[in-house]
Amino acid sequence: MEYVIRAVRAWEWESVREIRLTALRDPVAPMAFLETYEHAASRPDEFWQRRTADAAEGRLVRQFIAEAPDGRWAGTVTVLVEGPSVEPVFGRAPAFDQTHLVGVFVRAGHRGHGVVDALFREAIEWSWSRSAPPVRRVRLHVHEANARAEASYRRIGFVPTGRTVLLEGDPDSLELEFEVRRRDGLAEGP
C-alpha cells in the first residue's frame, strides 16, 4: 500500500482530534500516552484548532501523518522542538537543541506496512533540516513494558541513552529514553 507522508494542515483539526482519540482507545494507550481518552475528548474545538495550527506552522511543533490511498489517516507522529531557549514541555530545558518525538500511533490495520518507519524518516529529516540553531539529536521515550514500540524504534535506529524517567501517575513504571544523533559533527554534548 502506498502512503503519503506529510505535515498536517491548519484546517485539518477535526482529523487531528479523530486520530488522537482513536490512539487513546488503543489497548496500549495507558502506557504509550500521558493523556486519557476522557481528558482529550472533553477538550473544546478551540484547543484542537490551536494545536493543529501550531503543528502546521512548524515553529516549535510539527505533526506528520501517513495518508492511505483512500485518504484516511493511517498514522501520526508529533515532533517537539526542545532547547535552552525553548520553554520545556517535559522536565528541564536541555543544554543543546534537540527534538522529541511524541504521540506515535499507527492504526491496527496499517501496522507492519512500514508506516512508522516512513513517519519517523520524515520527522527525523525535518529535525535535521532545522538550521537556526541546528538540532543535535532526536529523542523519544518508551514505556519499559512496551516491547512492540521499543522493537520498532530500535529497528529504525534509535538507541537507548540509559536515562529513565518515572511514568507520571505510576511511580512503579519507567519510561526509557532513546535517541538518534546527527552524523555530521553536531552531535557533541550530553
Side-chain angles (χ1 to χ4, degrees):
M1 191 178 299
E2 195 69 27
Y3 296 92
V4 173
I5 309 301
R6 64 172 177 80
V8 297
R9 299 173 187 125
W11 52 268
E12 295 177 307
W13 65 271
E14 290 173 303
S15 295
V16 167
R17 177 178 59 192
E18 185 279 327
I19 200 164
R20 177 65 175 181
L21 293 177
T22 299
L24 292 171
R25 285 192 164 158
D26 190 270
V28 298
M31 71 174 149
F33 302 107
L34 299 177
E35 180 177 39
T36 65
Y37 173 86
E38 293 74 22
H39 183 257
S42 71
R43 292 187 181 270
D45 290 350
E46 293 78 20
F47 168 84
W48 297 102
Q49 291 164 352
R50 184 177 59 255
R51 179 179 179 149
T52 307
D54 289 347
E57 178 187 358
R59 196 173 71 75
L60 295 176
V61 61
R62 186 67 140 181
Q63 183 176 359
F64 295 98
I65 58 101
E67 192 172 36
D70 64 3
R72 188 163 186 218
W73 290 8
T76 185
V77 63
T78 298
V79 186
L80 304 176
V81 176
E82 300 176 322
S85 63
V86 178
E87 185 168 333
V89 176
F90 297 103
R92 294 178 290 143
F96 55 89
D97 291 282
Q98 63 186 20
T99 58
H100 188 161
L101 304 186
V102 298
V104 180
F105 175 69
V106 176
R107 292 181 196 272
H110 298 275
R111 293 176 186 152
H113 297 279
V115 174
V116 76
D117 301 64
L119 285 166
F120 272 48
R121 267 193 309 277
E122 191 70 22
I124 293 167
E125 286 176 18
W126 181 81
S127 296
W128 296 158
S129 75
R130 296 183 58 82
S131 60
V135 169
R136 291 186 182 181
R137 74 176 185 149
V138 178
R139 73 175 182 148
L140 57 80
H141 288 97
V142 62
H143 189 284
E144 62 186 341
N146 195 345
R148 180 182 77 194
E150 183 178 337
S152 290
Y153 304 153
R154 285 178 182 272
R155 186 187 71 254
I156 292 167
F158 280 82
V159 296
T161 66
R163 294 183 191 101
T164 61
V165 261
L166 291 174
L167 185 63
E168 190 176 303
D170 183 1
D172 295 327
S173 296
L174 293 175
E175 292 217 339
L176 313 174
E177 183 184 66
F178 282 71
E179 71 178 4
V180 170
R181 292 209 172 222
R182 284 183 83 116
R183 294 191 176 135
D184 60 5
L186 292 173
E188 297 81 25

